């Protein structure tokens, strides 16, 4: 296997691990915003949690669609 292809595969794996970790943390944080309602002030952050969740899903789907389109 060519060194260039091997490097490409390794960088792709690292990018997928990082992107998956970031997306997981982002969606978990958004879920915490949505469900954690200890007082009246926390109610103000519920819409922020939904926006974060929608942005996280769009970013994840966009990244996966980009990978699917550029697959060799």
């Amino acid at each position: 296997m060519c060194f260039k292809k091997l490097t490409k595969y390794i960088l792709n794996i690292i990018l997928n691990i990082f992107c998956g970790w970031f997306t997981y943390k982002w969606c978990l944080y958004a879920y915490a915003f949505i469900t954690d309602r200890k007082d009246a002030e926390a109610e103000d952050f519920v819409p922020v949690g939904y926006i974060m969740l929608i942005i996280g899903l769009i970013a994840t789907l966009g990244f996966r669609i980009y990978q699917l389109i550029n697959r060799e």
Side-chain angles (χ1 to χ4, degrees), residues 19-72:
C19 193
W21 175 80
F22 181 76
T23 304
Y24 171 73
K25 293 290 184 177
W26 182 274
C27 289
L28 191 64
Y29 196 61
Y31 180 75
F33 263 106
I34 293 169
T35 58
D36 188 29
R37 301 179 188 176
K38 294 181 182 174
D39 55 3
E41 187 177 318
E43 290 287 330
D44 296 336
F45 293 110
V46 173
V48 174
Y50 282 114
I51 291 170
M52 284 177 62
L53 191 62
I54 291 168
I55 290 172
L57 292 175
I58 289 171
T60 302
L61 289 175
F63 180 69
R64 297 300 174 195
I65 290 170
Y66 174 77
Q67 280 186 325
L68 183 65
I69 290 171
N70 287 332
R71 190 174 67 177
E72 291 182 337

